[in-house]
Amino acid sequence: MAEQGKTETLAFQAEVTKLLHIVANSLYSRKEVFLRELISNASDACDKLRFQSVSKPELIGADELGISIRHDSDARTITISDNGIGLSLEDAVSHLGTIAKSGTREFASQLSGDQSKDAQLIGQFGVGFYSAFIVAEQVTVESRRADLAPDQAVRWRSSGEGEFEV
């Protein structure tokens, strides 16, 4: 695990180059699906924070939960931002570094009774995030879990070729 302020390169926990090729070129028939998948992930992050704030109201700030999408034609980038639950360093390594591991499915399995009925979380297969590699040469995730200090933010980056940096 990387120490705070340090960058570490780790291997994915699968035959990633082949798997990402399958996800990017076979699982999805249309390039634009990546946008739907990433927006769904952002929506799930907001829902997770909403659910957790029931027992920990201090997790939600004054801002309304939401998602923004920006593009920069010159830089050829799309940025999808949300103010949902966020990721810790351990979450980023575990959830983004292990294909087909769904943090949403894991979260949903911990809900009970009415919470479970009320949750309509989308990303439960753990592969939608990787659809970004359909159109991206590199994917960067910058995040901080809602219950962590600002200096606990994490940056995850990969070109989808078998390893990632955190």
Side-chain angles (χ1 to χ4, degrees):
M1 200 61 53
E3 293 178 20
Q4 183 177 345
K6 306 264 181 177
T7 299
E8 184 177 21
T9 301
L10 303 169
F12 282 106
Q13 300 300 308
E15 186 65 42
V16 170
T17 305
K18 291 178 183 175
L19 187 55
L20 287 177
H21 179 78
I22 291 168
V23 169
N25 297 293
S26 303
L27 189 58
Y28 300 105
S29 60
R30 297 186 326 252
K31 281 184 172 186
E32 64 274 11
V33 76
F34 83 94
L35 194 54
R36 182 194 72 203
E37 293 289 354
L38 297 180
I39 292 168
S40 293
N41 287 351
S43 176
D44 284 353
C46 290
D47 286 343
K48 289 176 192 176
L49 183 57
R50 190 176 295 110
F51 273 97
Q52 291 196 1
S53 70
V54 171
S55 61
K56 297 178 183 177
E58 68 276 8
L59 292 179
I60 286 198
D63 296 333
E64 188 172 321
L65 293 174
I67 302 165
S68 74
I69 304 168
R70 297 183 316 277
H71 79 284
D72 181 331
S73 298
D74 295 332
R76 299 182 52 150
T77 61
I78 297 174
T79 302
I80 301 164
S81 302
D82 67 73
N83 58 348
I85 193 66
L87 298 170
S88 67
L89 175 62
E90 295 79 18
D91 295 336
V93 170
S94 176
H95 297 298
L96 301 181
T98 306
I99 295 175
K101 178 175 183 176
S102 171
T104 298
R105 183 178 56 236
E106 201 172 283
F107 176 77
S109 72
Q110 296 172 8
L111 299 177
S112 61
D114 290 338
Q115 286 181 327
S116 181
K117 291 177 195 170
D118 292 341
Q120 294 186 6
L121 303 170
I122 299 166
Q124 297 194 39
F125 298 106
V127 295
F129 167 77
Y130 304 98
S131 66
F133 290 106
I134 294 171
V135 297
E137 293 174 9
Q138 183 172 358
V139 175
T140 302
V141 175
E142 295 175 341
S143 189
R144 179 182 56 85
R145 199 172 67 207
D147 60 351
L148 296 177
D151 66 349
Q152 297 294 305
V154 61
R155 177 180 293 134
W156 180 98
R157 183 181 359 232
S158 179
S159 60
E161 296 181 358
E163 60 186 25
F164 60 94
E165 290 181 351
V166 288

